[in-house]
Amino acid sequence: MREPAFWWREPGLAANLLAPLAALYGAITARRMRRPGRRARAKVVCIGNLTVGGAGKTPTAIATALLLRDAGAHPAFLTRGYGGRLTGPVVVAPTHTAADVGDEPLLLARVAPTVVAHDRVAGAAAAVEAGADTIVMDDGFQNPSLDKDLSVLVVDGRRGIGNGKVVPAGPLRAPLDAQLARAHALLVIGDAGWSARGAAARAGEASLLTGRLVADAAAVAALAGARVLAFAGIADSEKFFTTVRDAGIAIEATRRFADHHRFSATEAKDLLVTAGRSRLTLLTTEKDLARMTGDPTLTEIAAQCKTLPVTLELDQASALRDLLEGLFF
């Protein structure tokens, strides 16, 4: 599903017409968020975001797990596994594909044990059974079923909170203040626009963190001199294209697809033919390649695609480390 363009502009006619529905949805969601959750037999760190769509949760979850591991903890990821057929709880295994568990869990499982579960309470129990003393939730902030010990909200600095309205009038998952009131930290990734700065100003007692997504140096070096056709099926494809350009890689053409897009054989052939005709290198995100891998109709494009992995570089890594260590000491 593509997000409406008006979500990311100043409020206009469409947003105003949808305001009554947004008010109702926001009130229901805010009330739901206040429900008490179940306690897990492990500490729970939730990496969420204020808005629908991508903001950098997965790189943040990975960075958080690595900090926890450095502190001597035994983290495991808990995720719903959007786009996968398995409802779980299931521990992600090397034999799983994106069709089974979704794309994000495949990336998380490279770092730490990863549990996919639509029922987050049951998923937390499975993570503990797998040996975790700390559970890092990739998403689920607005879901009250599992009690959180620490919640970090991630905001894309460029897009911020869009028009500041709640779904369906805007991209917010719940009223801004209701969300910020339950957050322990707000992480702004990238240069902050006016709406991101506005959210930060209203964060109250939550710690304010900043950072950026940095392209993997080895992958950048391998693409030196290449002319690429960059394509992405993520919530904000432009963020990926900007990262590619900032890395000094020459983009000759781009293709945008909807978030979590499942590529068809026809689309794959079109990309291959277009790249071949102009002698371009196909470049995509790790999530997109994960969705293509294991699909027999996409074997050729999966073999030819290059990816540009990114990691989160925090300006205040010590501040996040202190918050995480405070869970145990």
Side-chain angles (χ1 to χ4, degrees):
M1 185 188 86
R2 294 188 183 277
E3 302 163 356
F6 72 83
W7 279 4
W8 306 101
R9 297 194 296 260
E10 288 287 328
L13 178 61
N16 291 333
L17 289 173
L18 291 168
L21 282 176
L24 177 62
Y25 179 82
I28 293 171
T29 307
R31 186 182 308 116
R32 182 170 178 260
M33 289 175 63
R34 290 195 293 270
R35 294 177 188 168
R38 295 276 297 276
R39 291 292 303 174
R41 290 183 293 116
K43 298 295 184 180
V44 176
V45 180
C46 180
I47 309 299
N49 64 348
L50 295 164
T51 63
V52 172
K57 292 190 306 297
T58 299
T60 303
I62 290 172
T64 299
L66 293 175
L67 286 172
L68 284 165
R69 184 178 293 166
D70 289 344
H74 300 282
F77 295 111
L78 174 59
T79 177
R80 191 177 185 277
Y82 183 86
R85 63 178 181 81
L86 299 179
T87 59
V90 60
V91 178
V92 177
T95 53
H96 285 131
T97 67
D100 297 323
V101 297
D103 50 19
E104 290 156 351
L106 297 177
L107 305 186
L108 297 172
R110 299 175 186 175
V111 178
T114 299
V115 175
V116 167
H118 288 195
D119 182 331
R120 289 177 171 86
V121 174
V128 172
E129 290 298 318
D133 58 15
T134 314
I135 296 166
V136 180
M137 295 179 65
D138 186 352
D139 210 358
F141 173 74
Q142 291 79 14
N143 186 303
S145 60
L146 191 62
D147 198 25
K148 291 95 173 170
D149 296 285
L150 180 68
S151 292
V152 179
L153 288 180
V154 184
V155 180
D156 181 287
R158 180 176 63 85
R159 298 208 302 177
I161 57 171
N163 63 14
K165 304 295 183 181
V166 176
V167 171
L172 286 174
R173 295 184 174 195
L176 178 61
D177 289 338
Q179 296 193 76
L180 292 176
R182 306 184 74 82
H184 299 91
L186 185 70
L187 168 61
V188 179
I189 297 180
D191 294 333
W194 68 269
S195 64
R197 288 194 292 269
R202 293 166 65 174
E205 296 182 2
S207 299
L208 178 60
L209 309 173
T210 56
R212 65 203 53 79
L213 298 179
V214 180
D216 178 76
V220 172
L223 290 163
R227 297 163 54 245
V228 306
L229 189 168
F231 68 97
I234 57 176
D236 185 8
S237 297
E238 190 56 43
K239 180 164 60 177
F240 172 63
F241 301 149
T242 298
T243 300
V244 174
R245 294 187 183 99
D246 288 348
I249 300 167
I251 295 181
E252 297 294 331
T254 61
R255 295 288 188 277
R256 295 171 174 82
F257 298 90
D259 194 17
H260 296 283
H261 181 70
R262 288 294 178 86
F263 294 93
S264 68
T266 300
E267 290 167 335
K269 182 178 180 180
D270 177 66
L271 288 166
L272 286 164
V273 169
T274 302
R277 184 187 302 126
S278 301
R279 296 183 180 180
L280 303 178
T281 298
L282 287 168
L283 181 66
T284 192
T285 71
E286 289 191 293
K287 289 183 181 181
D288 286 293
L289 183 58
R291 288 197 302 281
M292 293 187 288
T293 301
D295 185 334
T297 68
L298 303 177
T299 301
E300 184 178 1
I301 191 170
Q304 291 196 29
C305 275
K306 305 293 185 183
T307 62
L308 189 64
V310 296
T311 56
L312 175 65
E313 184 178 275
L314 285 164
D315 294 320
Q316 304 90 1
S318 60
L320 180 55
R321 185 181 297 110
D322 288 345
L323 287 171
L324 294 171
E325 290 181 351
L327 296 173
F328 301 96
F329 304 107

PDB file of all heavy atoms in Angstrom, residues 36 73 99 107 134 138 201 249 283 294 322:
ATOM      1  N   PRO A  36      -3.193  -1.807  30.725  1.00  0.00           N
ATOM      2  CA  PRO A  36      -2.008  -2.466  31.297  1.00  0.00           C
ATOM      3  C   PRO A  36      -1.634  -3.701  30.481  1.00  0.00           C
ATOM      4  O   PRO A  36      -2.506  -4.430  29.996  1.00  0.00           O
ATOM      5  CB  PRO A  36      -2.456  -2.847  32.709  1.00  0.00           C
ATOM      6  CG  PRO A  36      -3.954  -2.932  32.623  1.00  0.00           C
ATOM      7  CD  PRO A  36      -4.379  -1.915  31.612  1.00  0.00           C
ATOM      8  N   ALA A  73      24.341  -8.627  28.183  1.00  0.00           N
ATOM      9  CA  ALA A  73      22.988  -9.187  28.129  1.00  0.00           C
ATOM     10  C   ALA A  73      22.884 -10.211  27.001  1.00  0.00           C
ATOM     11  O   ALA A  73      23.767 -10.333  26.149  1.00  0.00           O
ATOM     12  CB  ALA A  73      21.965  -8.070  27.932  1.00  0.00           C
ATOM     13  N   ALA A  99       8.583 -15.174   2.582  1.00  0.00           N
ATOM     14  CA  ALA A  99       7.193 -15.618   2.477  1.00  0.00           C
ATOM     15  C   ALA A  99       6.738 -16.279   3.772  1.00  0.00           C
ATOM     16  O   ALA A  99       5.554 -16.253   4.106  1.00  0.00           O
ATOM     17  CB  ALA A  99       7.035 -16.587   1.311  1.00  0.00           C
ATOM     18  N   LEU A 107      16.659 -10.256   8.448  1.00  0.00           N
ATOM     19  CA  LEU A 107      17.810  -9.386   8.727  1.00  0.00           C
ATOM     20  C   LEU A 107      18.145  -9.408  10.221  1.00  0.00           C
ATOM     21  O   LEU A 107      19.321  -9.462  10.605  1.00  0.00           O
ATOM     22  CB  LEU A 107      17.510  -7.949   8.286  1.00  0.00           C
ATOM     23  CG  LEU A 107      17.073  -7.739   6.834  1.00  0.00           C
ATOM     24  CD1 LEU A 107      16.955  -6.241   6.540  1.00  0.00           C
ATOM     25  CD2 LEU A 107      18.045  -8.383   5.869  1.00  0.00           C
ATOM     26  N   THR A 134      16.729 -10.293  27.613  1.00  0.00           N
ATOM     27  CA  THR A 134      16.231  -8.998  27.153  1.00  0.00           C
ATOM     28  C   THR A 134      15.564  -9.188  25.797  1.00  0.00           C
ATOM     29  O   THR A 134      16.126  -9.844  24.918  1.00  0.00           O
ATOM     30  CB  THR A 134      17.366  -7.967  27.001  1.00  0.00           C
ATOM     31  OG1 THR A 134      18.211  -8.010  28.151  1.00  0.00           O
ATOM     32  CG2 THR A 134      16.799  -6.568  26.855  1.00  0.00           C
ATOM     33  N   ASP A 138      10.859  -5.088  17.620  1.00  0.00           N
ATOM     34  CA  ASP A 138      10.891  -4.263  16.417  1.00  0.00           C
ATOM     35  C   ASP A 138       9.443  -3.925  16.085  1.00  0.00           C
ATOM     36  O   ASP A 138       8.724  -4.729  15.499  1.00  0.00           O
ATOM     37  CB  ASP A 138      11.561  -5.037  15.269  1.00  0.00           C
ATOM     38  CG  ASP A 138      11.754  -4.172  14.027  1.00  0.00           C
ATOM     39  OD1 ASP A 138      11.250  -3.043  14.008  1.00  0.00           O
ATOM     40  OD2 ASP A 138      12.413  -4.637  13.074  1.00  0.00           O
ATOM     41  N   ALA A 201      10.609  18.884  20.426  1.00  0.00           N
ATOM     42  CA  ALA A 201      10.348  19.938  21.408  1.00  0.00           C
ATOM     43  C   ALA A 201       9.251  19.536  22.384  1.00  0.00           C
ATOM     44  O   ALA A 201       9.205  20.026  23.510  1.00  0.00           O
ATOM     45  CB  ALA A 201       9.962  21.229  20.684  1.00  0.00           C
ATOM     46  N   ILE A 249      27.574   7.030  -5.173  1.00  0.00           N
ATOM     47  CA  ILE A 249      27.242   6.057  -6.214  1.00  0.00           C
ATOM     48  C   ILE A 249      26.332   6.730  -7.239  1.00  0.00           C
ATOM     49  O   ILE A 249      25.356   7.396  -6.883  1.00  0.00           O
ATOM     50  CB  ILE A 249      26.548   4.824  -5.602  1.00  0.00           C
ATOM     51  CG1 ILE A 249      27.488   4.154  -4.582  1.00  0.00           C
ATOM     52  CG2 ILE A 249      26.127   3.832  -6.673  1.00  0.00           C
ATOM     53  CD1 ILE A 249      26.795   3.132  -3.704  1.00  0.00           C
ATOM     54  N   LEU A 283      20.634  -2.248  -8.068  1.00  0.00           N
ATOM     55  CA  LEU A 283      20.949  -2.000  -6.662  1.00  0.00           C
ATOM     56  C   LEU A 283      19.659  -1.834  -5.885  1.00  0.00           C
ATOM     57  O   LEU A 283      18.773  -1.066  -6.280  1.00  0.00           O
ATOM     58  CB  LEU A 283      21.803  -0.731  -6.521  1.00  0.00           C
ATOM     59  CG  LEU A 283      22.235  -0.349  -5.104  1.00  0.00           C
ATOM     60  CD1 LEU A 283      23.186  -1.395  -4.521  1.00  0.00           C
ATOM     61  CD2 LEU A 283      22.908   1.026  -5.085  1.00  0.00           C
ATOM     62  N   GLY A 294      14.766 -16.953  -2.437  1.00  0.00           N
ATOM     63  CA  GLY A 294      13.948 -18.117  -2.120  1.00  0.00           C
ATOM     64  C   GLY A 294      12.741 -18.276  -3.020  1.00  0.00           C
ATOM     65  O   GLY A 294      12.085 -19.325  -3.003  1.00  0.00           O
ATOM     66  N   ASP A 322      23.473   4.003  28.511  1.00  0.00           N
ATOM     67  CA  ASP A 322      23.106   4.230  29.912  1.00  0.00           C
ATOM     68  C   ASP A 322      21.639   3.847  30.166  1.00  0.00           C
ATOM     69  O   ASP A 322      21.320   3.265  31.211  1.00  0.00           O
ATOM     70  CB  ASP A 322      23.305   5.712  30.275  1.00  0.00           C
ATOM     71  CG  ASP A 322      24.789   6.083  30.377  1.00  0.00           C
ATOM     72  OD1 ASP A 322      25.631   5.150  30.444  1.00  0.00           O
ATOM     73  OD2 ASP A 322      25.091   7.287  30.361  1.00  0.00           O
TER      74      ASP A 322
END
